[in-house]
Amino acid sequence: MTSAATSHAGQTVRLTVGQAVVRFLGNQYSERDGVRHKLFAGCFGIFGHGNVAGLGQALLQAELEEPDLLPYHQGRNEQAMVHIAVGYARQKDRLETFAVTASVGPGSSNMLTGAALATINRLPVLLLASDIFATRVASPVLQELEQPFGYDVSVNDAFRPLSRFFDRVWRPEQLPAALLGAMRVLTDPVDTGAVTLALPEDVQAEAWDWPVELFAERVWRIGRPVPEPEVIARAAEIIRGATAPLIVSGGGVTYAEANEELRAFVEATGIPISETQAGKGSLPFDHPLNLGAIGATGSPAANHFARRADVVIGIGTRYSDFTTASKTIWQHPDVQFVNINVAGLDAFKLAGYPVVADAKRALPALATALDGYSTGADFRAEVAARAKAWDAEVVASHHSGYGDGHEFLSQAEVLGAVEGVMAPTDVVVCAAGSLPGDLHGMWRTRDRKGYHVEYGYSCMGYEIPGAIGVRLAAPDRDVFVTVGDGSYLMMPTELVTAVQEGIKIIVVLLQNHGYASIGALAQSLGVQRFGTKYRYRNAESGRLDGGKLPVDLALNAESMGITVYRCKTLAELKNALAAAKAGDEPCLVHVDTDLEFESPKGDGWWDVPVAQVSTLDSTQDARTRYEKFRADQKPYL
């Protein structure tokens, strides 16, 4: 970390805590590879009695006096504001983000889900959570949680396990250390995630004489850890012994901007790659050594080679259960793992040989150490053939004609139409439901930043606010949101924010009157799609198996100022998507799809326990299947 060289020793400036926070944040920068970025693009906020006179006043003053310091943006839901910041940070490769402020009580606790999402996905976002009075003079104040075992407890303590850094500023003089600690974590690629500063509402408005140097420009350097030569030598030795190696490429490849280094590595060695959700776009989908998605929602091509792999090279992946197919995907009896990751937590997983280093530095070093090594021509040819066969199946599903013979379109037809209208650099955004699985296995990504599926937390409602963040980060790219009606109903309100700010996002809403993903999962577990369809309660049976609910989500979007296109046929859908892309305003394309249609899939498994005893035949059958798959799980010790 470096700061401006100008000396202000002994000088002070009198500001409120809120004003000090805003001025400090507006002067923070990140730097990597000699390129400097403004760390905070602005601040999203919803005001209440907890922050309006503190941070609210400070943001107003800054907007009038220094408009570019920390621009204010208005949100509609506190959780959604965090999602916007996360979407922005991911699109910016974790080099820039937003701050988010909310009022005391429910305003701040509404951000808890967003905090968990940011930390799980290891994406930086600063949460300025308002807190109860430090003086306690007026306690209990409106929205205060009272606990008999301690008066210093508030709802904000719930942020502690969800944040990578948490501090509560009880006194103004504690603020500098809290701010500097927050910046240290936000700009650390290993420790980054949600950072929460709890700011009591009376302290926010309190004045203090601050040292002027606190507000000097600070540049936080984001380094690239270099691998030790001995470690690279041992990793190369392991790989040289492989006859069927496979790379698992995760989000760390893209965050490190190591895509070209990855391309050079695989072309030199002939080692094919597979991609996690966050790793989609590591290489273009049609690269001959790209097998596509791996794991529970993986392609048949990638999963085939995963089962054969004798050495697995994990690059920037945290090996989630979807990636490992709940630890069933690697079946070679002597499989070994070499893991390249900036985080030791991930590098040591699966008893792998750890290369704790930045991917952009490690891959060229490993390529040099492997000079002369290459997989065989027959192996490469089989990789290319299986990848091409799966791509042909995907393309066929886009043009299956399913919608011509049925009441609704298939989900695969919709995704094919969306992909068909998008430019290579446009971005698809998704988070929850059946869509992430179809996108992971079938989406034909052409650009390293063209695929944005939040699947660490798989949070319903992320899609629309996340897409706003992506568009703010990449105003030169069109952003397409694919969302089912279940996830849409969780958080559509940021459509108002898109309208207010003139942020063009194209929301493709698939209306199938239920939870397609959980419905299919429930059926596979012997639970018969219970509780997963949107239906009236049947007066005779007492169950939710009556007619469909008369919900009009297109009308809902129109009521928030969004231009809406209603589609029934594939031709109508393609025309609507073309019109949406040609326009310059936020819009929604509404299309009815078949709830129970299943897109082409691989053979990956996901471990979700089935009831061990049951009177239902469907559950008993599911338990038998479950035990069969579970027998393939490996401890990888």
Side-chain angles (χ1 to χ4, degrees), residues 68-402:
D68 295 329
L69 183 66
L70 193 69
Y72 166 71
H73 299 270
Q74 187 181 68
R76 269 73 202 170
N77 178 287
E78 292 88 352
Q79 177 184 324
M81 294 192 301
V82 183
H83 294 337
I84 292 172
V86 166
Y88 185 93
R90 175 170 168 175
Q91 193 67 21
K92 289 290 189 178
D93 290 327
R94 307 193 293 195
L95 300 172
E96 302 175 49
T97 187
F98 276 91
V100 182
T101 177
S103 188
V104 72
S108 287
S109 63
N110 279 348
M111 298 194 294
L112 288 167
T113 296
L117 182 147
T119 296
I120 287 170
N121 286 285
R122 301 174 189 180
L123 291 164
V125 58
L126 177 62
L127 309 180
L128 302 173
S130 299
D131 218 318
I132 57 177
F133 274 70
T135 61
R136 305 183 190 167
V137 172
S139 293
V141 298
L142 178 66
Q143 300 174 329
E144 178 176 347
L145 173 73
E146 289 187 277
Q147 289 286 9
F149 55 78
Y151 297 136
D152 63 340
V153 177
S154 80
V155 294
N156 287 344
D157 286 278
F159 282 102
R160 291 182 184 272
L162 305 179
S163 303
R164 296 296 288 173
F165 180 90
F166 175 95
D167 198 7
R168 181 179 280 116
V169 180
W170 291 114
R171 293 292 306 140
E173 53 265 49
Q174 296 171 343
L175 182 66
L179 289 171
L180 293 170
M183 298 308 108
R184 171 184 59 80
V185 174
L186 286 169
T187 57
D188 186 331
V190 176
D191 285 338
T192 198
V195 167
T196 303
L197 295 183
L199 302 172
E201 57 180 299
D202 54 340
V203 174
Q204 286 185 43
E206 188 173 345
W208 190 256
D209 293 318
W210 308 95
V212 171
E213 56 263 34
L214 177 64
F215 308 111
E217 287 188 2
R218 279 182 166 78
V219 181
W220 300 82
R221 185 174 181 278
I222 299 176
R224 293 190 180 278
V226 177
E228 298 177 70
E230 298 85 356
V231 171
I232 287 292
R234 175 58 183 147
E237 182 182 355
I238 295 170
I239 295 168
R240 281 185 181 277
T243 59
L246 177 69
I247 291 169
V248 178
S249 184
V253 171
T254 295
Y255 294 144
E257 300 176 275
N259 304 84
E260 288 306 312
E261 286 76 9
L262 177 65
R263 179 194 290 268
F265 181 83
V266 302
E267 291 176 355
T269 62
I271 302 175
I273 77 159
S274 59
E275 297 173 315
T276 70
Q277 278 281 14
K280 284 278 283 187
S282 295
L283 292 178
F285 81 93
D286 55 355
H287 190 285
L289 289 170
N290 187 354
L291 290 162
I294 189 171
T297 50
S299 74
N303 286 354
H304 169 82
F305 283 95
R307 290 187 173 88
R308 286 173 50 184
D310 49 0
V311 173
V312 177
I313 307 167
I315 310 174
T317 176
R318 64 191 187 96
Y319 286 121
S320 74
D321 62 342
F322 263 73
T323 297
T324 68
S326 299
K327 296 186 178 177
T328 63
I329 200 67
W330 293 293
Q331 288 295 315
H332 191 286
D334 300 314
V335 64
Q336 297 182 79
F337 296 86
V338 174
N339 298 325
I340 300 171
N341 208 295
V342 290
L345 172 66
D346 297 316
F348 281 85
K349 286 179 178 175
L350 302 179
Y353 184 76
V355 181
V356 182
D358 180 87
K360 199 175 184 72
R361 296 288 180 262
L363 283 169
L366 188 57
T368 298
L370 286 169
D371 186 38
Y373 169 85
S374 178
T375 58
D378 290 345
F379 182 79
R380 292 192 190 205
E382 186 184 356
V383 166
R386 286 185 178 271
K388 189 173 181 180
W390 171 242
D391 185 59
E393 189 173 349
V394 169
V395 172
S397 74
H398 294 167
H399 307 285
S400 66
Y402 181 89

Side-chain angles (χ1 to χ4, degrees), residues 589-601:
V589 177
H590 181 282
V591 57
D592 292 301
T593 56
D594 191 331
L595 178 65
E596 299 188 20
F597 176 85
E598 290 195 11
S599 300
K601 289 178 173 59

Side-chain angles (χ1 to χ4, degrees), residues 558-583:
E558 286 177 346
S559 75
M560 289 186 275
I562 290 288
T563 299
V564 172
Y565 301 89
R566 296 173 182 259
C567 312
K568 292 290 186 183
T569 67
L570 189 58
E572 290 174 348
L573 174 61
K574 290 180 177 180
N575 290 336
L577 290 168
K581 182 163 176 60

Side-chain angles (χ1 to χ4, degrees), residues 515 518-524 526-533 537 542-545 616:
Y515 298 120
I518 297 302
L521 177 64
Q523 187 168 339
S524 72
V527 191
Q528 305 174 10
R529 291 187 179 265
F530 177 70
T532 63
K533 296 182 179 180
R537 188 168 297 281
R543 305 185 66 204
L544 296 175
D545 60 1
L616 302 177

